[in-house]
Amino acid sequence: MAITSIKNLKEFSTNNDRFEGAHLLCPGCAHSMIVRELMNCTDDNLVIASNTGCLEVSTAVYPYTSWDTSWIHIGFENAATAASCAEAMYKARKKKGTLPDADAPVKFVAFGGDGSTYDIGFQWLSGAMERGHDFTYICLDNENYANTGGQRSSATPVGAHTSTAQAGSHSYGKKQKKKDMVAIMAAHGAPYVAQLAPNKWKSMAKGFQKALETEGPCFINTVSACTTEWKFDPKDTIHITDLATDSLMFPVYEIIDGHELNILYRPKNIIKVEDYLGSQGRYRHLFKPQNKHIIERIQKDIDEKWALLQRREEARI
Amino acid sequence: MSKGLEGNDNRGARELGAEEKVGWDEVTQGVVLHSFVGESKNAAFLKPEERVYNDFNSYTATVASWRIIKPIYNRDICIDCQNCWVWCPDTSIISRDKQMLGIDYDHCKGCGVCVEVCPTNPKSLLMFNEAADNDAELENWPVKEKKAK
Ligand SMILES: Cc1ncc(C[n+]2csc(CCOP(=O)(O)OP(=O)(O)O)c2C)c(N)n1
Ligand code: SF4
Ligand code: SF4
Ligand code: SF4
Ligand SMILES: [Mg+2]
């Protein structure tokens, strides 16, 4: 099986892109950085399913497609359903001997936004994970329903301003904590789950390759900085993602077989979450005196989570 | 826009959105769009210039008109690190055989990410007004910046 080399970026760049330009994602959108990397980390045929969201509506604007692989568009809830059922069909036809090119290696991948993954497609994702299909589900987590104007999702962190959890004189933005989707997926008994970030391209490519090579249902949450809804300059997508991983707002780690936790990126200098929050318009209101305690709460949550991840890594539980 | 760089003849051949429109009730339901003409081969083994792109492939469309600023590439300083390649969201950095060749101006949206991630000093990529003349800007390329202490 041909898996492309990711020893260094020069070698990685010899891959032939299978995700084309003239899609309609915003300039600087991280969704396409993540998708390109997934498609470049393997030479295998890909069957990809995307449900409704920024990625899907921007890469299949009739009469165009930006995908050089098999790609299925399906309704909001069903990225996992489409990918897992394509996999089931493929297996069945292989068994019956009705596949035209049965020996060609093929991988099944689903892309969903956080709105679909954490909320609206949650049940269908859970079902596909439980059925145990051989596929990889990748959540493009931009922490809001970006495609419909930035509503809050259960992936939106405490304190973020969204169009349905607005900051104002009586509100500091979203009140509830972000759902821990990685833990929920690990609890399904998935053989490989991870949280990865596009600024750490190598650990992301390695994680993608591991997920594709692992038999069974794998889940990856990727941090996808959204210039439009997070409110930052499009040129800063990678810088903002650096702040996200270096403040540990988005720790980068994997969990194998539900218990073997490995931290994949340990910042040399852990930065204060203030520096991350201050880089984006959606958190601007938190710097008002009456909201400072929210920043303290976010920092405390981060510190506790990081301590927990490290304890779990050590204890292998 | 002149190609001048590795690419397929029909790259960016049409303005996105300029195609003939049909009414919502005239669109074929459940349509399949073929990315390539003829039998589909695994594109992972073909460079863009070796592919036979179908008109349905967005490769054949251009979004150049989205840009108000554009990156200009200075080969003389570039160390071919490929940072710009891995992080370009619009598949617009043209690299072949570990070398950065230049920018695909048919698909670049002018986000400026490539400039931010370029590690050389001075940078090998800089943003300019869309109307700027590439050759003139290359002549006036900034010199090495001293590190702020
Ligand atoms: C069942 C259903 N409910 C609502 C919608 C409208 N809708 C389309 S895209 C979208 C938001 C997608 O958010 P997310 O999944 O986070 O992806 P993003 O656009 O942020 O990448 C919504 C609510 C829909 N298409 N189908
Ligand atoms: S709104 Fe956000 S996620 Fe959607 S295309 Fe724009 S930057 Fe990307
Ligand atoms: S400006 Fe943006 S779209 Fe254009 S080449 Fe640079 S990274 Fe790619
Ligand atoms: S980031 Fe800069 S140095 Fe690296 S390949 Fe691109 S232009 Fe060259
Ligand atoms: Mg989203």
Side-chain angles (χ1 to χ4, degrees):
Chain A
M1 185 181 58
I3 281 269
T4 44
S5 168
I6 51 161
K7 251 197 287 178
N8 55 54
L9 208 40
K10 282 192 185 204
E11 270 183 38
F12 195 42
S13 76
T14 58
N15 285 299
N16 299 316
D17 270 292
R18 289 186 279 178
F19 186 68
E20 300 291 353
H23 53 68
L24 301 189
L25 293 162
C26 298
C29 176
H31 279 6
S32 45
M33 299 177 184
I34 297 163
V35 170
R36 275 189 63 225
E37 192 155 333
L38 179 277
M39 296 179 87
N40 277 325
C41 81
T42 177
D43 281 343
D44 291 353
N45 287 307
L46 289 166
V47 176
I48 297 177
S50 302
N51 56 359
T52 312
C54 279
L55 179 70
E56 176 270 320
V57 303
S58 304
T59 58
V61 187
Y62 189 79
Y64 292 111
T65 170
S66 301
W67 303 84
D68 294 342
T69 60
S70 301
W71 180 79
I72 309 163
H73 159 221
I74 193 148
F76 200 15
E77 310 87 346
N78 291 124
T81 318
S84 64
C85 293
E87 184 263 357
M89 170 69 89
Y90 176 84
K91 269 195 177 154
R93 288 191 57 184
K94 195 164 184 169
K95 215 167 160 184
K96 284 186 182 163
T98 58
L99 275 183
D101 199 2
D103 295 328
V106 53
K107 296 282 186 288
F108 296 85
V109 176
F111 283 113
D114 54 293
S116 76
T117 306
Y118 285 62
D119 299 341
I120 298 183
F122 184 68
Q123 166 184 344
W124 285 269
L125 169 60
S126 177
M129 299 302 281
E130 186 270 338
R131 290 193 302 274
H133 297 272
D134 186 10
F135 82 119
T136 296
Y137 188 101
I138 298 172
C139 173
L140 302 168
D141 183 6
N142 58 13
E143 304 187 319
N144 75 98
Y145 291 75
N147 188 232
T148 39
Q151 293 81 11
R152 59 86 91 187
S153 78
S154 58
T156 308
V158 173
H161 164 92
T162 67
S163 59
T164 49
Q166 299 202 354
S169 50
H170 295 287
S171 163
Y172 54 79
K174 195 188 168 206
K175 292 185 177 49
Q176 301 81 0
K177 271 196 190 181
K178 181 176 179 129
K179 196 188 266 180
D180 188 348
M181 198 64 184
V182 177
I184 294 169
M185 288 294 119
H188 277 69
Y192 187 79
V193 303
Q195 175 156 280
L196 304 171
N199 59 326
K200 302 291 159 206
W201 74 268
K202 201 169 188 173
S203 63
M204 189 158 92
K206 273 192 193 164
F208 283 164
Q209 290 190 339
K210 258 193 211 172
L212 293 175
E213 283 168 71
T214 302
E215 208 180 316
C218 302
F219 175 86
I220 294 173
N221 198 55
T222 57
V223 191
S224 189
C226 169
T227 144
T228 305
E229 297 301 339
W230 295 15
K231 300 183 175 58
F232 62 83
D233 191 317
K235 73 177 174 30
D236 290 328
T237 304
I238 291 302
H239 171 61
I240 299 284
T241 315
D242 281 339
L243 296 176
T245 53
D246 288 8
S247 65
L248 298 170
M249 187 77 175
F250 274 100
V252 179
Y253 62 102
E254 64 184 11
I255 306 174
I256 299 166
D257 292 330
H259 68 278
E260 197 180 312
L261 192 149
N262 301 310
I263 293 169
L264 302 176
Y265 172 62
R266 248 174 251 279
K268 275 197 201 83
N269 301 306
I270 298 174
I271 61 166
K272 288 263 163 263
V273 75
E274 269 179 53
D275 297 344
Y276 172 68
L277 303 175
S279 66
Q280 301 154 57
R282 65 174 171 156
Y283 290 119
R284 192 178 304 129
H285 56 282
L286 294 184
F287 292 84
K288 290 184 179 154
Q290 69 269 31
N291 290 333
K292 285 269 180 180
H293 68 286
I294 302 301
I295 298 185
E296 282 159 30
R297 176 180 160 195
I298 296 170
Q299 185 68 63
K300 190 165 158 276
D301 287 349
I302 289 177
D303 295 346
E304 283 173 11
K305 177 78 190 276
W306 184 235
L308 176 72
L309 289 177
Q310 295 188 93
R311 280 207 306 277
R312 282 195 61 184
E313 182 182 46
E314 209 180 296
R316 298 323 232 184
I317 49 163
Chain B
M1 188 63 64
S2 83
K3 304 284 177 281
L5 286 170
E6 303 296 333
N8 195 299
D9 284 345
N10 57 359
R11 187 178 84 201
R14 291 171 300 168
E15 187 67 35
L16 199 106
E19 63 282 340
E20 207 180 310
K21 296 280 190 300
V22 291
W24 65 269
D25 52 349
E26 295 170 287
V27 174
T28 323
Q29 289 183 21
V31 72
V32 175
L33 301 182
H34 292 274
S35 313
F36 302 105
V37 179
E39 197 197 337
S40 281
K41 298 206 182 79
N42 185 348
F45 301 108
L46 297 172
K47 295 185 186 357
E49 53 273 28
E50 297 162 349
R51 301 174 183 173
V52 191
Y53 285 105
N54 203 327
D55 283 350
F56 290 128
N57 198 309
S58 70
Y59 182 87
T60 68
T62 177
V63 284
S65 63
W66 286 34
R67 266 193 325 264
I68 43 171
I69 49 172
K70 67 175 174 188
I72 295 180
Y73 170 57
N74 189 331
R75 173 80 220 151
D76 295 343
I77 313 160
C78 172
I79 54 169
D80 290 313
C81 68
Q82 304 298 339
N83 278 0
C84 54
W85 174 83
V86 77
W87 285 308
C88 172
D90 291 282
T91 326
S92 296
I93 298 293
I94 302 179
S95 290
R96 297 285 183 275
D97 305 323
K98 304 182 185 177
Q99 269 201 16
M100 153 69 163
L101 299 182
I103 293 144
D104 168 357
Y105 283 123
D106 291 317
H107 297 139
C108 165
K109 292 180 188 144
C111 65
V113 164
C114 53
V115 172
E116 293 306 305
V117 298
C118 181
T120 59
N121 182 3
K123 284 182 183 287
S124 317
L125 284 159
L126 288 171
M127 295 308 282
F128 294 89
N129 191 297
E130 176 64 17
D133 177 68
N134 286 28
D135 293 333
E137 298 302 346
L138 284 169
E139 292 271 313
N140 292 319
W141 208 259
V143 289
K144 188 169 173 158
E145 258 177 61
K146 289 227 174 67
K147 281 249 163 73
K149 280 201 189 120

